[in-house]
Amino acid sequence: MSCPKEPMAAAFPGFPYEFQKQMLYELRQNCRQSIQDLCKNLKMPRKVVTLLLSRLFAGLIRRNTALLDFEAIGFPVHVFFIFRTDNLRLVRSLLESDINVNSAFQSKKGVFLADAYFTCLGSVYDFEEKLAGVGAQDISFFHVTEESVKEAFRA
């Protein structure tokens, strides 16, 4: 199976691929920048930028969100958990409601990857026990010491 050379072509018909990539890069760097700044950074006319933005906000952009400095707000321990479960409902409920979970991903076979931040290492073990209590199995976790790339989309 081959990958498409221009994966965004269906979403942005009529726009050059390089422009599409640059637009998404600009929005991922700062989704709150003004249209005037976007036009300047993209070197494109306001009409073109406004048209593409309207298409993006018509269903391609799910939401605008903040990237938090977890260490600065008191959550310096960054951990990835990987585990499997047959009890999807309870595990999803825990992942969606726990303040420590930043994001979680599920494969088709009930394997989860959860990205979480904690105040101390003891909280990591407490969370591991919570996971086991709702049916998670084969739980492993990995302490992140440095983020190499964060929310990057290269233009």
Side-chain angles (χ1 to χ4, degrees):
M1 178 181 198
S2 65
C3 295
K5 292 181 182 174
E6 297 185 1
M8 298 174 284
F12 308 109
F15 289 97
Y17 181 63
E18 290 304 315
F19 172 70
Q20 297 170 30
K21 285 191 338 184
Q22 185 64 32
M23 175 69 139
L24 292 176
Y25 172 80
E26 286 294 327
L27 291 173
R28 293 202 59 183
Q29 294 304 304
N30 178 4
C31 67
R32 296 183 54 125
Q33 64 184 296
S34 69
I35 291 177
Q36 182 178 355
D37 287 341
L38 271 172
C39 293
K40 184 176 83 176
N41 294 340
L42 294 168
K43 298 174 182 65
M44 295 295 283
R46 183 179 188 92
K47 185 175 181 177
V48 172
V49 171
T50 304
L51 177 63
L52 187 50
L53 278 174
S54 66
R55 287 188 186 175
L56 287 170
F57 283 103
L60 298 177
I61 292 179
R62 292 182 187 168
R63 67 177 185 250
N64 295 332
T65 189
L67 295 177
L68 301 176
D69 181 343
F70 287 99
E71 189 167 347
I73 60 173
F75 292 83
V77 181
H78 186 188
V79 174
F80 278 97
F81 283 89
I82 188 165
F83 56 91
R84 66 178 182 80
T85 188
D86 295 325
N87 196 341
L88 298 176
R89 187 182 56 78
L90 282 177
V91 166
R92 275 196 204 117
S93 178
L94 173 63
L95 295 174
E96 290 170 1
S97 65
D98 194 283
I99 189 173
N100 299 103
V101 177
N102 183 48
S103 56
F105 309 91
Q106 177 188 345
S107 76
K108 291 181 181 178
K109 297 187 179 196
V111 176
F112 282 82
L113 175 69
D115 173 26
Y117 291 83
F118 299 91
T119 56
C120 65
L121 197 53
S123 298
V124 174
Y125 294 109
D126 293 344
F127 185 73
E128 182 182 27
E129 287 179 17
K130 282 187 199 177
L131 283 170
V134 296
Q137 302 165 331
D138 303 329
I139 304 168
S140 297
F141 64 86
F142 307 90
H143 185 246
V144 177
T145 56
E146 178 182 337
E147 289 189 31
S148 300
V149 177
K150 185 172 192 148
E151 291 295 319
F153 186 88
R154 306 288 185 250

